[in-house]
Amino acid sequence: MKSVAIFAALAGSAAAFAPAQVARTNTATNAMADMVGGEGPEPMPFAPTQTSVNFDPAGFAERSPEWLPWFREAELKHGRAAMLATVGFVLPEFVRIPGEQFSFEAIPKVIDAHDALPDSMIQIFLWISYLEAVSIPALANMNEFDRRPGDFSFDPLGFYPTDPEKQKEMQLAELKNGRLAMIAIGGMVTGAAITGNGFPYLP
């Protein structure tokens, strides 16, 4: 009799939490629908839905839908940094800025620049810290939906289109190129470190 009572209590508890889970899932789906990048429909063999539509195997969107703007902001920031990093890693293989310390004779391999130029690394770190600091107010207002994730209204060359559909196309292009760059810079650095060779970092 006692075991029946315990089972009934557990069943009731589970039923009580079920609607909240459904609501949370719906909230996550609605939040993701407002963002580009989840459209798919590329096939994903190991994904629960078998496609890349709203691909989220770790369930971050379902567990914390209120953090989705922050997740997208972080993804865009890392993607932009990775796109700059891929260019900055390949370009010095062919062209160097003036200065004996930056010459091909002083640093034959680009990957060695990190340890060979500590003063330059400190300067880069300080500039990155400054950019992070000035972006704090924008990040603080993001959850109030005052701005779209990644939008700092910085477009000095006027590349960003005014047409909403064209805007979505550009947002998606940036997102996909950023994702590719994040994978690419990891592979490039790993290849350069393992092989000791320059571009294209192959044995």
Side-chain angles (χ1 to χ4, degrees):
M1 194 67 178
K2 186 184 293 185
S3 60
V4 174
I6 293 174
F7 177 79
L10 291 174
S13 300
F17 284 103
Q21 180 63 34
V22 172
R24 178 176 292 184
T25 301
N26 290 338
T27 302
T29 302
N30 293 335
M32 293 177 72
D34 294 333
M35 298 181 181
V36 300
E39 301 89 345
E42 298 87 355
M44 300 288 287
F46 303 105
T49 59
Q50 300 297 306
T51 73
S52 60
V53 176
N54 293 335
F55 180 69
D56 183 25
F60 289 121
E62 292 183 10
R63 291 200 299 267
S64 305
E66 69 278 7
W67 282 90
L68 275 178
W70 189 89
F71 292 153
R72 176 50 57 87
E73 179 85 22
E75 182 179 26
L76 285 170
K77 182 176 287 188
H78 284 83
R80 290 166 179 172
M83 286 188 280
L84 290 173
T86 53
V87 176
F89 201 73
V90 174
L91 193 60
E93 297 279 2
F94 307 98
V95 180
R96 299 290 175 89
I97 61 176
E100 179 60 31
Q101 70 271 33
F102 307 118
S103 66
F104 289 98
E105 291 75 19
I107 307 175
K109 301 176 183 177
V110 175
I111 196 169
D112 294 334
H114 181 277
D115 296 332
L117 300 169
D119 292 340
S120 298
M121 294 300 110
I122 292 173
Q123 189 178 79
I124 291 172
F125 175 77
L126 291 176
W127 277 110
I128 292 174
S129 299
Y130 170 75
L131 292 174
E132 288 290 335
V134 298
S135 67
I136 288 176
L139 296 176
N141 289 331
M142 187 168 54
N143 281 342
E144 301 298 328
F145 302 101
D146 291 343
R147 58 183 284 272
R148 187 177 60 251
D151 183 9
F152 292 93
S153 298
F154 180 75
D155 185 25
L157 300 179
F159 286 139
Y160 197 60
T162 56
D163 181 67
E165 290 302 318
K166 295 293 183 181
Q167 289 179 355
K168 287 185 177 180
E169 289 180 10
M170 183 167 282
Q171 292 169 23
L172 185 60
E174 180 187 29
L175 187 65
K176 288 189 173 183
N177 281 283
R179 290 170 176 173
L180 177 61
M182 286 188 279
I183 297 172
I185 190 62
M188 291 160 58
V189 171
T190 301
I194 292 176
T195 66
N197 296 330
F199 182 81
Y201 319 109
L202 299 175

